Amino acid sequence: MKTPVVLIIFNRPDFTQQVFEAIKAAKPEKLLVIADGPRNDTEAKRCADTRSIINQVDWNCEVSKFYSEKNIGCRPFLAQGLNWVFEQVERAIVFEADCLPHPTFFRFCEELLEKYADDSKIMHISGNFFQQRNPAFSSTDSYYFSIIPHIWGWATWRRAWKQYDPDLKQWPEIKENKTIAKTLTNPAAYEYWETIWDQYYDRKIESWDGQWTFACLLAGGLSINPTKNLVTNIGFGPEAMHTIDPNSIFANVPLKAMTFPLTHPEIIRADTSADTFTLRQNFGIDAKLRQRILGRIRRTFPKPYGFLRFQIRKLFGK
């Protein structure tokens, strides 16, 4: 496989091994590995064990490493690491260490990275399909277009990544002018992301992916989402940073093979019906006023909201 592959690792050798085996089967010519340092002495051995997996590369492959000996943190280090990647390569397929791909995902990305290489409207290729519970979704194409860039296994180009800013320096001006509202026309969705980006800007959220969503929406960019699930998140559990609930409907979604040749959509535009479903299912965004108010309270005061919801459920049994 000609397309470079990026593997982001940290302290979970069991999941990293599984994802590494999938990459090994694809045999990319170039593998770029990003690894932040341990947060404490207890974690150091697990980080070292995770890094040792990369020594198992036994095919013709150029391996480059972006490792830190001390812990930098998810937000700054991932931004530095991905900037390092796209300083070296024009395009890449990216995995975090708990995102397990189907073998056909590599070819899916490679073909579409080439097809849309010069189309600035397309900024992201995802491996995730979350329309299984949507009775209104139907497509004979291999993928559909979305305004939502899912990041559990994804690919992009240097030209798109150049628009990424981990600190959201433009946010105050964009918020005042409501520039993104032109792309994110669902008012409930805009309110949701406005609250989220406020927290990113104020450094109350120390993750990296909300800024990528911001960059894509600000540019009016589209994501390619497959119509079969090509990457599954196997890392749900108490040790995860964000995906804690092992019973989540998004945990271990079954993988499906993509068929080739690919069937391409005739028109390049977002599937608004699929996006509405995703906003409601994945992000809890509902256009109804009551849900919008509750959503804003939940995002602004997550701990009190969670406590009150628990008490109400205990009192009324639901």
mmCIF file with all atom_site columns, all heavy atoms in Angstrom, residues 258-273:
data_model
loop_
_atom_site.group_PDB
_atom_site.id
_atom_site.type_symbol
_atom_site.label_atom_id
_atom_site.label_alt_id
_atom_site.label_comp_id
_atom_site.label_asym_id
_atom_site.label_entity_id
_atom_site.label_seq_id
_atom_site.pdbx_PDB_ins_code
_atom_site.Cartn_x
_atom_site.Cartn_y
_atom_site.Cartn_z
_atom_site.occupancy
_atom_site.B_iso_or_equiv
_atom_site.pdbx_formal_charge
_atom_site.auth_seq_id
_atom_site.auth_comp_id
_atom_site.auth_asym_id
_atom_site.auth_atom_id
_atom_site.pdbx_PDB_model_num
ATOM 1   N N   . MET A 1 258 ? -16.098 -3.545 2.607   1.00 0.00 ? 258 MET A N   1
ATOM 2   C CA  . MET A 1 258 ? -16.469 -2.694 1.482   1.00 0.00 ? 258 MET A CA  1
ATOM 3   C C   . MET A 1 258 ? -16.302 -3.488 0.195   1.00 0.00 ? 258 MET A C   1
ATOM 4   O O   . MET A 1 258 ? -15.349 -4.275 0.068   1.00 0.00 ? 258 MET A O   1
ATOM 5   C CB  . MET A 1 258 ? -15.596 -1.440 1.454   1.00 0.00 ? 258 MET A CB  1
ATOM 6   C CG  . MET A 1 258 ? -15.908 -0.482 0.316   1.00 0.00 ? 258 MET A CG  1
ATOM 7   S SD  . MET A 1 258 ? -17.619 0.090  0.272   1.00 0.00 ? 258 MET A SD  1
ATOM 8   C CE  . MET A 1 258 ? -17.702 1.069  1.791   1.00 0.00 ? 258 MET A CE  1
ATOM 9   N N   . THR A 1 259 ? -17.220 -3.312 -0.723  1.00 0.00 ? 259 THR A N   1
ATOM 10  C CA  . THR A 1 259 ? -17.115 -3.989 -2.016  1.00 0.00 ? 259 THR A CA  1
ATOM 11  C C   . THR A 1 259 ? -16.543 -3.037 -3.060  1.00 0.00 ? 259 THR A C   1
ATOM 12  O O   . THR A 1 259 ? -16.751 -1.819 -2.997  1.00 0.00 ? 259 THR A O   1
ATOM 13  C CB  . THR A 1 259 ? -18.493 -4.503 -2.471  1.00 0.00 ? 259 THR A CB  1
ATOM 14  O OG1 . THR A 1 259 ? -19.432 -3.412 -2.479  1.00 0.00 ? 259 THR A OG1 1
ATOM 15  C CG2 . THR A 1 259 ? -18.987 -5.588 -1.534  1.00 0.00 ? 259 THR A CG2 1
ATOM 16  N N   . PHE A 1 260 ? -15.835 -3.597 -3.996  1.00 0.00 ? 260 PHE A N   1
ATOM 17  C CA  . PHE A 1 260 ? -15.192 -2.823 -5.060  1.00 0.00 ? 260 PHE A CA  1
ATOM 18  C C   . PHE A 1 260 ? -15.604 -3.394 -6.411  1.00 0.00 ? 260 PHE A C   1
ATOM 19  O O   . PHE A 1 260 ? -15.895 -4.595 -6.506  1.00 0.00 ? 260 PHE A O   1
ATOM 20  C CB  . PHE A 1 260 ? -13.671 -2.873 -4.894  1.00 0.00 ? 260 PHE A CB  1
ATOM 21  C CG  . PHE A 1 260 ? -13.187 -2.269 -3.603  1.00 0.00 ? 260 PHE A CG  1
ATOM 22  C CD1 . PHE A 1 260 ? -13.034 -3.058 -2.462  1.00 0.00 ? 260 PHE A CD1 1
ATOM 23  C CD2 . PHE A 1 260 ? -12.902 -0.913 -3.514  1.00 0.00 ? 260 PHE A CD2 1
ATOM 24  C CE1 . PHE A 1 260 ? -12.599 -2.517 -1.266  1.00 0.00 ? 260 PHE A CE1 1
ATOM 25  C CE2 . PHE A 1 260 ? -12.459 -0.367 -2.324  1.00 0.00 ? 260 PHE A CE2 1
ATOM 26  C CZ  . PHE A 1 260 ? -12.308 -1.162 -1.198  1.00 0.00 ? 260 PHE A CZ  1
ATOM 27  N N   . PRO A 1 261 ? -15.627 -2.563 -7.460  1.00 0.00 ? 261 PRO A N   1
ATOM 28  C CA  . PRO A 1 261 ? -15.278 -1.141 -7.465  1.00 0.00 ? 261 PRO A CA  1
ATOM 29  C C   . PRO A 1 261 ? -16.280 -0.302 -6.679  1.00 0.00 ? 261 PRO A C   1
ATOM 30  O O   . PRO A 1 261 ? -17.447 -0.687 -6.532  1.00 0.00 ? 261 PRO A O   1
ATOM 31  C CB  . PRO A 1 261 ? -15.289 -0.778 -8.953  1.00 0.00 ? 261 PRO A CB  1
ATOM 32  C CG  . PRO A 1 261 ? -16.240 -1.746 -9.566  1.00 0.00 ? 261 PRO A CG  1
ATOM 33  C CD  . PRO A 1 261 ? -16.063 -3.021 -8.807  1.00 0.00 ? 261 PRO A CD  1
ATOM 34  N N   . LEU A 1 262 ? -15.807 0.825  -6.198  1.00 0.00 ? 262 LEU A N   1
ATOM 35  C CA  . LEU A 1 262 ? -16.664 1.705  -5.424  1.00 0.00 ? 262 LEU A CA  1
ATOM 36  C C   . LEU A 1 262 ? -17.749 2.319  -6.305  1.00 0.00 ? 262 LEU A C   1
ATOM 37  O O   . LEU A 1 262 ? -17.525 2.601  -7.479  1.00 0.00 ? 262 LEU A O   1
ATOM 38  C CB  . LEU A 1 262 ? -15.834 2.833  -4.800  1.00 0.00 ? 262 LEU A CB  1
ATOM 39  C CG  . LEU A 1 262 ? -14.772 2.420  -3.764  1.00 0.00 ? 262 LEU A CG  1
ATOM 40  C CD1 . LEU A 1 262 ? -13.994 3.647  -3.308  1.00 0.00 ? 262 LEU A CD1 1
ATOM 41  C CD2 . LEU A 1 262 ? -15.402 1.705  -2.580  1.00 0.00 ? 262 LEU A CD2 1
ATOM 42  N N   . THR A 1 263 ? -18.904 2.522  -5.690  1.00 0.00 ? 263 THR A N   1
ATOM 43  C CA  . THR A 1 263 ? -19.998 3.233  -6.344  1.00 0.00 ? 263 THR A CA  1
ATOM 44  C C   . THR A 1 263 ? -20.055 4.637  -5.764  1.00 0.00 ? 263 THR A C   1
ATOM 45  O O   . THR A 1 263 ? -20.269 4.805  -4.551  1.00 0.00 ? 263 THR A O   1
ATOM 46  C CB  . THR A 1 263 ? -21.344 2.520  -6.104  1.00 0.00 ? 263 THR A CB  1
ATOM 47  O OG1 . THR A 1 263 ? -21.246 1.173  -6.561  1.00 0.00 ? 263 THR A OG1 1
ATOM 48  C CG2 . THR A 1 263 ? -22.467 3.228  -6.835  1.00 0.00 ? 263 THR A CG2 1
ATOM 49  N N   . HIS A 1 264 ? -19.840 5.653  -6.588  1.00 0.00 ? 264 HIS A N   1
ATOM 50  C CA  . HIS A 1 264 ? -19.712 7.028  -6.115  1.00 0.00 ? 264 HIS A CA  1
ATOM 51  C C   . HIS A 1 264 ? -21.043 7.782  -6.205  1.00 0.00 ? 264 HIS A C   1
ATOM 52  O O   . HIS A 1 264 ? -21.792 7.607  -7.185  1.00 0.00 ? 264 HIS A O   1
ATOM 53  C CB  . HIS A 1 264 ? -18.657 7.765  -6.943  1.00 0.00 ? 264 HIS A CB  1
ATOM 54  C CG  . HIS A 1 264 ? -17.336 7.068  -6.973  1.00 0.00 ? 264 HIS A CG  1
ATOM 55  N ND1 . HIS A 1 264 ? -16.452 7.101  -5.926  1.00 0.00 ? 264 HIS A ND1 1
ATOM 56  C CD2 . HIS A 1 264 ? -16.748 6.292  -7.941  1.00 0.00 ? 264 HIS A CD2 1
ATOM 57  C CE1 . HIS A 1 264 ? -15.366 6.392  -6.246  1.00 0.00 ? 264 HIS A CE1 1
ATOM 58  N NE2 . HIS A 1 264 ? -15.526 5.893  -7.457  1.00 0.00 ? 264 HIS A NE2 1
ATOM 59  N N   . PRO A 1 265 ? -21.361 8.627  -5.238  1.00 0.00 ? 265 PRO A N   1
ATOM 60  C CA  . PRO A 1 265 ? -22.551 9.471  -5.343  1.00 0.00 ? 265 PRO A CA  1
ATOM 61  C C   . PRO A 1 265 ? -22.464 10.389 -6.567  1.00 0.00 ? 265 PRO A C   1
ATOM 62  O O   . PRO A 1 265 ? -21.375 10.854 -6.930  1.00 0.00 ? 265 PRO A O   1
ATOM 63  C CB  . PRO A 1 265 ? -22.519 10.296 -4.054  1.00 0.00 ? 265 PRO A CB  1
ATOM 64  C CG  . PRO A 1 265 ? -21.660 9.508  -3.113  1.00 0.00 ? 265 PRO A CG  1
ATOM 65  C CD  . PRO A 1 265 ? -20.639 8.826  -3.972  1.00 0.00 ? 265 PRO A CD  1
ATOM 66  N N   . GLU A 1 266 ? -23.597 10.627 -7.189  1.00 0.00 ? 266 GLU A N   1
ATOM 67  C CA  . GLU A 1 266 ? -23.612 11.476 -8.385  1.00 0.00 ? 266 GLU A CA  1
ATOM 68  C C   . GLU A 1 266 ? -23.413 12.945 -8.048  1.00 0.00 ? 266 GLU A C   1
ATOM 69  O O   . GLU A 1 266 ? -22.862 13.700 -8.846  1.00 0.00 ? 266 GLU A O   1
ATOM 70  C CB  . GLU A 1 266 ? -24.930 11.287 -9.140  1.00 0.00 ? 266 GLU A CB  1
ATOM 71  C CG  . GLU A 1 266 ? -25.095 9.903  -9.755  1.00 0.00 ? 266 GLU A CG  1
ATOM 72  C CD  . GLU A 1 266 ? -26.381 9.776  -10.563 1.00 0.00 ? 266 GLU A CD  1
ATOM 73  O OE1 . GLU A 1 266 ? -27.128 10.783 -10.658 1.00 0.00 ? 266 GLU A OE1 1
ATOM 74  O OE2 . GLU A 1 266 ? -26.642 8.685  -11.092 1.00 0.00 ? 266 GLU A OE2 1
ATOM 75  N N   . ILE A 1 267 ? -23.885 13.361 -6.869  1.00 0.00 ? 267 ILE A N   1
ATOM 76  C CA  . ILE A 1 267 ? -23.828 14.771 -6.484  1.00 0.00 ? 267 ILE A CA  1
ATOM 77  C C   . ILE A 1 267 ? -23.031 14.901 -5.191  1.00 0.00 ? 267 ILE A C   1
ATOM 78  O O   . ILE A 1 267 ? -23.224 14.131 -4.243  1.00 0.00 ? 267 ILE A O   1
ATOM 79  C CB  . ILE A 1 267 ? -25.245 15.348 -6.288  1.00 0.00 ? 267 ILE A CB  1
ATOM 80  C CG1 . ILE A 1 267 ? -26.062 15.192 -7.576  1.00 0.00 ? 267 ILE A CG1 1
ATOM 81  C CG2 . ILE A 1 267 ? -25.188 16.818 -5.881  1.00 0.00 ? 267 ILE A CG2 1
ATOM 82  C CD1 . ILE A 1 267 ? -27.518 15.594 -7.429  1.00 0.00 ? 267 ILE A CD1 1
ATOM 83  N N   . ILE A 1 268 ? -22.138 15.885 -5.153  1.00 0.00 ? 268 ILE A N   1
ATOM 84  C CA  . ILE A 1 268 ? -21.342 16.142 -3.953  1.00 0.00 ? 268 ILE A CA  1
ATOM 85  C C   . ILE A 1 268 ? -22.093 17.142 -3.080  1.00 0.00 ? 268 ILE A C   1
ATOM 86  O O   . ILE A 1 268 ? -22.007 18.364 -3.284  1.00 0.00 ? 268 ILE A O   1
ATOM 87  C CB  . ILE A 1 268 ? -19.940 16.674 -4.317  1.00 0.00 ? 268 ILE A CB  1
ATOM 88  C CG1 . ILE A 1 268 ? -19.183 15.642 -5.145  1.00 0.00 ? 268 ILE A CG1 1
ATOM 89  C CG2 . ILE A 1 268 ? -19.154 17.009 -3.047  1.00 0.00 ? 268 ILE A CG2 1
ATOM 90  C CD1 . ILE A 1 268 ? -17.800 16.097 -5.587  1.00 0.00 ? 268 ILE A CD1 1
ATOM 91  N N   . ARG A 1 269 ? -22.835 16.628 -2.117  1.00 0.00 ? 269 ARG A N   1
ATOM 92  C CA  . ARG A 1 269 ? -23.523 17.470 -1.134  1.00 0.00 ? 269 ARG A CA  1
ATOM 93  C C   . ARG A 1 269 ? -23.846 16.614 0.086   1.00 0.00 ? 269 ARG A C   1
ATOM 94  O O   . ARG A 1 269 ? -23.980 15.392 -0.014  1.00 0.00 ? 269 ARG A O   1
ATOM 95  C CB  . ARG A 1 269 ? -24.791 18.083 -1.711  1.00 0.00 ? 269 ARG A CB  1
ATOM 96  C CG  . ARG A 1 269 ? -25.898 17.096 -2.024  1.00 0.00 ? 269 ARG A CG  1
ATOM 97  C CD  . ARG A 1 269 ? -27.083 17.807 -2.634  1.00 0.00 ? 269 ARG A CD  1
ATOM 98  N NE  . ARG A 1 269 ? -28.120 16.858 -3.051  1.00 0.00 ? 269 ARG A NE  1
ATOM 99  C CZ  . ARG A 1 269 ? -29.069 17.130 -3.931  1.00 0.00 ? 269 ARG A CZ  1
ATOM 100 N NH1 . ARG A 1 269 ? -29.114 18.327 -4.500  1.00 0.00 ? 269 ARG A NH1 1
ATOM 101 N NH2 . ARG A 1 269 ? -29.977 16.212 -4.239  1.00 0.00 ? 269 ARG A NH2 1
ATOM 102 N N   . ALA A 1 270 ? -23.972 17.275 1.222   1.00 0.00 ? 270 ALA A N   1
ATOM 103 C CA  . ALA A 1 270 ? -24.222 16.562 2.468   1.00 0.00 ? 270 ALA A CA  1
ATOM 104 C C   . ALA A 1 270 ? -25.603 15.931 2.460   1.00 0.00 ? 270 ALA A C   1
ATOM 105 O O   . ALA A 1 270 ? -26.572 16.506 1.966   1.00 0.00 ? 270 ALA A O   1
ATOM 106 C CB  . ALA A 1 270 ? -24.087 17.515 3.648   1.00 0.00 ? 270 ALA A CB  1
ATOM 107 N N   . ASP A 1 271 ? -25.678 14.730 3.030   1.00 0.00 ? 271 ASP A N   1
ATOM 108 C CA  . ASP A 1 271 ? -26.953 14.056 3.235   1.00 0.00 ? 271 ASP A CA  1
ATOM 109 C C   . ASP A 1 271 ? -27.550 14.626 4.519   1.00 0.00 ? 271 ASP A C   1
ATOM 110 O O   . ASP A 1 271 ? -27.208 14.197 5.620   1.00 0.00 ? 271 ASP A O   1
ATOM 111 C CB  . ASP A 1 271 ? -26.726 12.545 3.356   1.00 0.00 ? 271 ASP A CB  1
ATOM 112 C CG  . ASP A 1 271 ? -28.023 11.755 3.455   1.00 0.00 ? 271 ASP A CG  1
ATOM 113 O OD1 . ASP A 1 271 ? -28.996 12.275 4.029   1.00 0.00 ? 271 ASP A OD1 1
ATOM 114 O OD2 . ASP A 1 271 ? -28.057 10.602 2.974   1.00 0.00 ? 271 ASP A OD2 1
ATOM 115 N N   . THR A 1 272 ? -28.438 15.612 4.395   1.00 0.00 ? 272 THR A N   1
ATOM 116 C CA  . THR A 1 272 ? -28.951 16.325 5.570   1.00 0.00 ? 272 THR A CA  1
ATOM 117 C C   . THR A 1 272 ? -29.778 15.412 6.475   1.00 0.00 ? 272 THR A C   1
ATOM 118 O O   . THR A 1 272 ? -29.769 15.574 7.693   1.00 0.00 ? 272 THR A O   1
ATOM 119 C CB  . THR A 1 272 ? -29.783 17.542 5.147   1.00 0.00 ? 272 THR A CB  1
ATOM 120 O OG1 . THR A 1 272 ? -30.814 17.120 4.241   1.00 0.00 ? 272 THR A OG1 1
ATOM 121 C CG2 . THR A 1 272 ? -28.916 18.577 4.452   1.00 0.00 ? 272 THR A CG2 1
ATOM 122 N N   . SER A 1 273 ? -30.479 14.451 5.883   1.00 0.00 ? 273 SER A N   1
ATOM 123 C CA  . SER A 1 273 ? -31.276 13.527 6.696   1.00 0.00 ? 273 SER A CA  1
ATOM 124 C C   . SER A 1 273 ? -30.368 12.657 7.560   1.00 0.00 ? 273 SER A C   1
ATOM 125 O O   . SER A 1 273 ? -30.620 12.468 8.762   1.00 0.00 ? 273 SER A O   1
ATOM 126 C CB  . SER A 1 273 ? -32.145 12.645 5.800   1.00 0.00 ? 273 SER A CB  1
ATOM 127 O OG  . SER A 1 273 ? -32.833 11.670 6.561   1.00 0.00 ? 273 SER A OG  1
#
